[in-house]
């Protein structure tokens, strides 16, 4: 069993539970732990099993108590959990530490969605973990291939959901992937989405777009994936409305546009790159919109598919042109765009912009 302690100034190295104090009570073990003085005020503990590869043992935890031997400040918590949490499941639990007169963090359930091409077919050979990092700390290495939820298969795409509980992380900034395998293989990972289970937004998007060549005879691959962008959803629309009101405009000057994007039915027509659009009217132009949340498909812009997006902006008048493009990220990012149809909800006008290239 190991513990990692998080403070206002960082986190400790993993602390092995080896130095027991003598004169133990029944079913109770006490340890003396010396933490760096520059760790700051402790706010979180991550407790887990370091290695299960050669063991099927479980650890039942009923109660946790920590005391600062200098100040005698004490925190205790009833846990009543067994590690691992499920078969092939999470080997870690975390909980916030509540000190007198100090702000306490909350435990959050995070949804991590993995978009890939072939991980599921290799999952019995592969060991893969992700460490989600934010302003308040990180989750530590959590397994991505334990029992999965919302598994979806496509011709060249797949996705699955991993659920993990962690003390709130604040604004997310990166994910560290660790990948190893029992046999040589290639894993194609497209992107990772992270959000809180209780909220639709924000969604943190981490673009990977990499094929990993995993060698069974070499050390595990470590890759640090920085955040690409954040989908704010309704909050983003509110920000637009507020900025318009500050300029003296009324809510009646804001309208919603429905954008239908038609990807051609040709070999290699689809793209995994990030697509954006700008609308131009005879009265004004819109800001740049990322077309990332299709109403029909989890993976937009696939061959022969139509994707619909809703965008909200100031009234632009009659539309005369658009700018649409992508950032070139990902494998075979080239995209055959057939056409774009835009409906103006305020006037129920429909505009068609043909591309066919």
């Amino acid at each position: 069993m190991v513990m990692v302690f998080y403070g206002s100034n960082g986190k400790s190295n993993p602390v092995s539970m080896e130095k027991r104090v003598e004169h133990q009570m029944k079913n109770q073990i006490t340890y003396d732990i010396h933490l760096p003085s520059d760790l700051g005020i402790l706010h979180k503990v991550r407790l887990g099993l370091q290695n299960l590869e050669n063991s099927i043992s479980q650890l039942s935890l009923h109660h946790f108590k920590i005391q600062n031997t200098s100040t005698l400040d004490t925190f205790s918590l009833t846990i009543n959990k067994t590690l691992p949490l499920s078969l092939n499941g999470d080997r870690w639990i975390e909980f916030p530490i509540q000190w007198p007169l100090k702000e306490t963090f909350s435990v959050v359930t995070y949804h991590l969605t993995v978009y890939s091409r072939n991980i599921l077919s290799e999952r019995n050979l592969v060991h893969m973990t992700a460490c989600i990092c934010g302003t308040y700390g990180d989750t530590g290495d959590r397994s991505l291939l334990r029992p999965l939820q919302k598994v979806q298969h496509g011709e060249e795409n797949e996705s699955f959901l991993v659920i993990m509980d962690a003390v709130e992380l604040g604004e997310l900034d990166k994910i560290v992937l660790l990948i190893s395998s029992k046999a040589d293989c290639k894993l194609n990972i497209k992107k990772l989405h992270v959000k809180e289970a209780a909220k639709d937004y924000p969604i943190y998007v981490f673009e990977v777009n990499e094929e990993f060549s995993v060698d069974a005879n070499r050390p595990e691959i470590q890759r640090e994936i920085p955040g690409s962008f954040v989908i704010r959803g309704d909050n983003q629309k509110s920000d637009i409305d507020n900025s318009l009101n500050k300029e003296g405009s009324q809510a009646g000057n804001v309208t919603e546009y429905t954008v239908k994007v038609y990807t051609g039915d040709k070999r290699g027509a689809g793209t995994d790159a990030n697509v954006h659009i700008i609308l131009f009217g005879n009265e004004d132009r819109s800001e740049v919109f990322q077309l990332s949340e299709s109403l029909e498909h989890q993976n937009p812009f696939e061959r022969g598919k139509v994707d619909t997006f809703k965008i909200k902006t100031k009234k632009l008048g009659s539309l005369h042109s658009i700018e649409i493009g992508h950032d070139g990220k990902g494998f075979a990012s080239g995209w055959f765009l057939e056409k774009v149809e835009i409906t103006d909800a305020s006037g129920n006008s429909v505009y068609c912009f043909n591309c066919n290239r």
Side-chain angles (χ1 to χ4, degrees), residues 53 88-89 91 122-130 141-146 177-183 185 187 214 220-221:
E53 290 181 359
N88 298 322
R91 296 182 289 115
E122 305 286 352
R123 63 179 296 193
N124 292 329
L125 299 173
V126 174
H127 179 66
M128 181 181 301
T129 65
D141 298 332
R142 305 293 189 94
S143 173
L144 293 185
L145 299 177
R146 51 197 169 91
L177 292 177
L178 293 176
I179 307 170
S180 60
S181 177
K182 299 176 182 177
C185 63
L187 299 177
V214 188
E220 63 185 358
I221 296 173

Side-chain angles (χ1 to χ4, degrees), residues 6-8 41-45 75 94-99 102-108 110 135-137 166-171:
Y6 289 75
S8 54
I41 299 174
L42 297 183
H43 66 79
K44 162 178 155 179
V45 173
F75 166 76
E94 343 187 307
F95 44 87
I97 298 179
Q98 182 176 2
W99 300 115
K102 300 293 183 183
E103 182 180 1
T104 304
F105 290 81
S106 59
V107 175
V108 174
Y110 287 96
T135 52
Y136 300 151
V167 175
E168 61 182 296
L169 298 169
E171 290 288 322

